[in-house]
Amino acid sequence: MPAAVRTWKQVVAHVREHRAYGPGFRWLELDVPAGFAAPVAGQFVQLLLDFPSPVLLPRPMSVASVAKRGARLSVGFLYAPVGAGTRALSELAEGASLHLTGPLGRGYPLEEPGTPVLVAGGRGVAPLLMAADVLARARRRCEFVFGARTAKLLVGLDEARARLAKRGSKLHLATDDGTRGFHGNVVQVLDRLAPRLEGPLVIHACGPHGMLGAVARWAMSNGARAHLAMESVMACGTGVCRGCPLPRSTEARDRVRAEGAQAAALKGNPDWAMCCTDGPVFESRELDWDRVE
Ligand SMILES: Cc1cc2nc3c(=O)[nH]c(=O)nc-3n(C[C@H](O)[C@H](O)[C@H](O)COP(=O)(O)OP(=O)(O)OC[C@H]3O[C@@H](n4cnc5c(N)ncnc54)[C@H](O)[C@@H]3O)c2cc1C
Ligand code: FES
């Protein structure tokens, strides 16, 4: 795997738009200054509130959209206010400033040949909305499997529909309680869908770790590749604090040991990958899914 190229910057961003986005979720659009590198789908940024703030550390957030505004970019996020940091974020008014570091981490390799299958679980849809846009711009069709516990947690559904309509891509919904779409989970949808698709399948997924583990196992036993966007509680977001470890698979451990001194300085060690710099997107064979929490 090639070493990540460091392109991140710390900038002051301004709130362009901030609104409710379905029950319990919000959409935030930030204007960033010229010179900020355009994030790729699956990358994230760290958002740090101005002093005085209820939280000391920045909060990681996946990029859900990128739009060009002249020489500048606006970057969109879909998030749930769940604790002190995201609740304080939810109070920012239009025009307010905050500090943004990014783009960070490795994104999805959307250019990989094969049939792209995007798999989203709940608010994990955020980076996949952007992935759907990128594929549409590259004139590539995709299958979009979107699952949640119940219908109202299929957040961003209209946005997903709009982005998929551009290239005749297909949306497949699933809910655990059967309130919308297929009554079951995304892996059951993959089982039904796969025989109808041209191989090889290349899955790009984001959602709860339990779902990602199930998707990774499905891919490994069905000859597909899967790229999973993982989360971890993060402090620096840049590989320095070593606070976001994920367990490597035996295969990945052996490879990293063999790389030795060639391994980039800000990566994890042979046993543990750092979610922020080795990831957040990992191919299914990179992690030990029995030990992922
Ligand atoms: C790479 C990455 C991308 C992310 N993208 C998004 C996104 O697009 N939209 C979004 O809503 N959230 C996203 N998150 C999660 C988001 O960063 C956390 O919800 C946020 O940090 C919580 O901060 P807080 O101060 O509000 O809550 P805290 O008070 O810090 O925590 C509140 C609760 O949330 C839990 N929590 C905190 N961070 C995480 C996490 N990363 N994963 C699971 N549980 C967590 C805590 O354990 C606690 O139970 C992402 C996280 C990562 C690592
Ligand atoms: S968050 Fe500091 S090393 Fe990953």
Side-chain angles (χ1 to χ4, degrees), residues 176-188:
D176 294 348
D177 64 2
T179 45
R180 192 82 189 258
F182 174 74
H183 189 168
N185 62 41
V186 294
V187 171
Q188 291 168 304

Side-chain angles (χ1 to χ4, degrees), residues 117-119 143 145 182 185-197 201 203 214-216 218-219 222:
V117 182
L118 310 186
V119 182
E143 305 290 323
V145 181
F182 174 74
N185 62 41
V186 294
V187 171
Q188 291 168 304
V189 175
L190 287 174
D191 270 334
R192 293 157 66 107
L193 192 59
R196 308 206 299 267
L197 301 177
L201 302 189
I203 296 172
V215 171
W218 185 91
N222 284 277

Side-chain angles (χ1 to χ4, degrees), residues 46 233-244 274-277:
Q46 289 273 69
V233 176
M234 289 184 182
C236 69
T238 55
V240 177
C241 73
R242 322 306 269 172
C244 60
M274 291 300 129
C275 183
C276 64
T277 44

Side-chain angles (χ1 to χ4, degrees), residues 1-247:
M1 196 183 283
V5 179
R6 186 184 299 174
T7 55
W8 56 263
K9 275 188 178 173
Q10 286 180 301
V11 297
V12 175
H14 290 89
V15 177
R16 179 186 188 86
E17 189 189 333
H18 202 175
R19 59 187 160 90
Y21 199 79
F25 298 96
R26 294 186 69 75
W27 181 267
L28 171 68
E29 188 105 11
L30 297 176
D31 283 328
V32 294
F36 186 85
V40 302
Q43 283 190 304
F44 68 103
V45 304
Q46 289 273 69
L47 299 179
L48 178 65
L49 298 167
D50 269 343
F51 180 82
S53 152
V55 292
L56 172 69
L57 296 169
R59 295 297 188 255
M61 209 55 74
S62 303
V63 176
S65 75
V66 176
K68 269 199 176 157
R69 316 250 176 215
R72 298 167 180 222
L73 296 176
S74 72
V75 185
F77 306 92
L78 165 57
Y79 74 96
V82 291
T86 45
R87 276 202 292 271
L89 182 69
S90 73
E91 283 161 20
L92 293 186
E94 278 177 28
S97 65
L98 73 169
H99 303 267
L100 182 152
T101 304
L104 296 167
R106 294 174 196 277
Y108 295 114
L110 292 173
E111 67 292 347
E112 215 170 85
T115 298
V117 182
L118 310 186
V119 182
R123 72 160 167 82
V125 73
L128 297 165
L129 291 175
M130 181 166 166
D133 252 354
V134 173
L135 289 169
R137 277 202 296 275
R139 299 171 185 277
R140 291 182 68 198
R141 283 191 57 220
C142 67
E143 305 290 323
F144 197 113
V145 181
F146 190 4
R149 287 200 311 279
T150 189
K152 73 173 192 246
L153 296 178
L154 290 167
V155 55
L157 185 54
D158 293 341
E159 188 93 18
R161 257 190 231 293
R163 294 181 190 206
L164 294 172
K166 291 178 192 162
R167 292 282 156 214
S169 295
K170 286 215 180 94
L171 181 62
H172 310 267
L173 301 178
T175 49
D176 294 348
D177 64 2
T179 45
R180 192 82 189 258
F182 174 74
H183 189 168
N185 62 41
V186 294
V187 171
Q188 291 168 304
V189 175
L190 287 174
D191 270 334
R192 293 157 66 107
L193 192 59
R196 308 206 299 267
L197 301 177
E198 195 179 323
L201 302 189
V202 186
I203 296 172
H204 304 279
C206 185
H209 283 187
M211 180 201 104
L212 295 182
V215 171
R217 289 188 174 97
W218 185 91
M220 288 188 281
S221 52
N222 284 277
R225 280 177 68 77
H227 303 281
L228 303 314
M230 305 295 289
E231 288 192 9
S232 175
V233 176
M234 289 184 182
C236 69
T238 55
V240 177
C241 73
R242 322 306 269 172
C244 60
L246 291 170

